[in-house]
Amino acid sequence: MFWASLVTANIFWIFNVIPSFATGLLMLSSWVILGATDFPTAFNIFSTTTMWIIIGGLGLGAAATKTGLINRIALKIMSWFPANFSGQTLALFTAGTIISPMIPSAHPKTAMSTPIAQGISNALGYKPMSKGSSGLFLAAIWGFLVMEASFLSATAQNYAFKGLLPNKFQSVLTWGNWFVMMLPWTIIALVGGYFLLRWLFKPRNDQTVFQVVHQSTTHRFGTNVTR
């Protein structure tokens, strides 16, 4: 019965039959009702600090996203970089890395970062599915999602991994210790990822937004004069 309940829950999660949290609670409840385990064992995770840290972090992240605070931070950071492919790729990497630990969930970060990347792509005059457009999309995913591994608070899975460790190791694995241990990987992922995307996706003519706008205006003005 345990395996039947687990398989059913996975089917519900895959096809989004009901909200994910409801599927999880129903699965745990079924284990108790069917006698697979007792209530304290099935719901043991809710008696630990890990679960409540995750819930609190998700609440704070949702509030910051709904109020537009995270968007404003991201846009402010991106305004510090050149308005071309290379500059905005670096901007997305930087903004994503800074914002990533503020929201312990991939969904709101994806919902926020990909429209920003699309807006930059449109401003630079890139066609949909072009190299430049694809590169900026991947830069958003890289900065906001790939860098989640660098910070304990960047994703609920990191807290879950920490919760699987023996208590004596959990007590010393603080946010700061996690970051220090992941720092070599963070540097390699950021530097290597930036140059990889530039090499694969940078347009031959890496123009700034101002150059694109100027060319477009000149073209329209010339067309009007000809007419």
Side-chain angles (χ1 to χ4, degrees), residues 48-91:
T48 65
T49 57
T50 300
M51 174 57 69
W52 298 107
I53 290 174
I54 293 173
I55 293 174
L58 289 172
L60 289 173
T65 304
K66 289 290 185 182
T67 58
L69 174 62
I70 298 299
N71 253 328
R72 291 195 293 271
I73 293 174
L75 294 173
K76 182 61 178 178
I77 294 171
M78 296 176 72
S79 68
W80 300 335
F81 294 84
N84 57 4
F85 178 86
S86 299
Q88 290 306 293
T89 296
L90 183 58

Side-chain angles (χ1 to χ4, degrees), residues 115-134:
I116 292 176
Q118 184 178 16
I120 297 170
S121 176
N122 293 338
L124 289 170
Y126 299 152
K127 295 180 180 180
M129 307 298 291
S130 65
K131 287 181 62 175
S133 176
S134 300

Side-chain angles (χ1 to χ4, degrees), residues 193-213:
Y194 173 69
F195 285 105
L196 178 64
L197 292 187
R198 281 195 62 193
W199 177 56
L200 292 174
F201 297 101
K202 180 183 175 182
R204 290 184 179 180
N205 187 13
D206 190 13
Q207 295 181 313
T208 65
V209 172
F210 306 106
Q211 290 173 317
V212 172
V213 172

Side-chain angles (χ1 to χ4, degrees), residues 3-45:
W3 290 109
S5 174
L6 185 60
V7 170
T8 302
N10 276 277
I11 293 173
F12 276 37
W13 280 322
I14 292 171
F15 294 100
N16 198 28
V17 178
I18 57 177
S20 298
F21 74 91
T23 299
L25 291 175
L26 285 174
M27 180 182 69
L28 296 177
S29 300
S30 69
W31 293 351
V32 177
I33 295 171
L34 297 173
T37 186
D38 56 18
F39 184 89
T41 302
F43 289 87
N44 179 62
I45 185 64

Side-chain angles (χ1 to χ4, degrees), residues 131-145:
K131 287 181 62 175
S133 176
S134 300
L136 290 172
F137 174 80
L138 288 175
I141 297 298
W142 200 294
F144 284 81
L145 299 183

